[in-house]
Amino acid sequence: MSKITKKKPRKKSLKTLRKTAWTACSQFVRQFYSDHRGHARCYTCGVVDDWKSLQAGHAIPGRSNAVLLDTDIIRVQCYVCNIHKRGAHHLFSTNLIKEHGLEWWENKLQQARQIVKFTREDYEKFAEEFNLKIQQLSIDRRTAKWKGG
């Protein structure tokens, strides 16, 4: 009689975990900047659309770990600005400098040049934290709506 052994579930690859964390981050940013109807405004051109139709764009180009999940420099963007205009970085950075100041922006640029390595556990934690934030946004919006907000 042969023994049937169950295979261990395969661990998700680092690439898959990174993508999962980014997906949760993107969803959080788009929902965070949306209104109670689910509409958000492109940070660079001002077009308004449903948050699900918009994207989360980075003020600093590149998909390095140093900038990938930094919500300080991620905002809602339309497809045209984020893809066709390659992030419209001249407008993006100008808007952030107006919000936070030049010194803040220069610090972000310096941070973006650092090499950051994340582990499997880091990506899992990021995804979990963003998903919790998304749930909290949903609760906050329902509560505000119920209170007449």
Side-chain angles (χ1 to χ4, degrees), residues 25 28-29 33 67-75 130 133:
C25 176
F28 168 71
V29 167
Y33 288 104
V67 298
L68 181 67
L69 303 172
D70 184 351
T71 56
D72 288 345
I73 60 165
I74 301 171
R75 295 291 189 277
F130 283 120
K133 289 179 180 184

Side-chain angles (χ1 to χ4, degrees), residues 32-33 37 61 68 70 75 79 95 98 119 124 126:
F32 180 81
Y33 288 104
R37 296 179 318 249
L68 181 67
D70 184 351
R75 295 291 189 277
Y79 179 83
N95 290 342
K98 285 178 186 175
T119 64
E124 289 169 345
F126 283 125

Side-chain angles (χ1 to χ4, degrees), residues 85-143:
K85 294 182 180 179
R86 295 184 168 171
H89 295 288
H90 59 294
L91 298 172
F92 208 139
S93 58
T94 299
N95 290 342
L96 284 175
I97 290 168
K98 285 178 186 175
E99 280 181 39
H100 300 283
L102 185 58
E103 186 177 341
W104 177 89
W105 177 245
E106 289 172 345
N107 286 334
K108 286 295 177 182
L109 289 173
Q110 187 175 8
Q111 290 171 10
R113 289 189 287 270
Q114 295 176 356
I115 295 172
V116 177
K117 297 209 181 235
F118 292 130
T119 64
R120 309 174 67 73
E121 292 77 20
D122 292 329
Y123 286 125
E124 289 169 345
K125 183 179 174 190
F126 283 125
E128 182 179 334
E129 288 174 357
F130 283 120
N131 284 322
L132 287 172
K133 289 179 180 184
I134 291 165
Q135 288 175 357
Q136 189 61 50
L137 275 176
S138 179
I139 291 167
D140 292 348
R141 293 228 166 101
R142 280 196 309 263
T143 304

Side-chain angles (χ1 to χ4, degrees), residues 41-47 75-78 80-82 85 87-93 95:
R41 180 179 305 277
C42 176
Y43 191 67
T44 47
C45 77
V47 71
R75 295 291 189 277
V76 177
Q77 283 192 299
C78 66
V80 171
C81 287
N82 196 30
K85 294 182 180 179
H89 295 288
H90 59 294
L91 298 172
F92 208 139
S93 58
N95 290 342

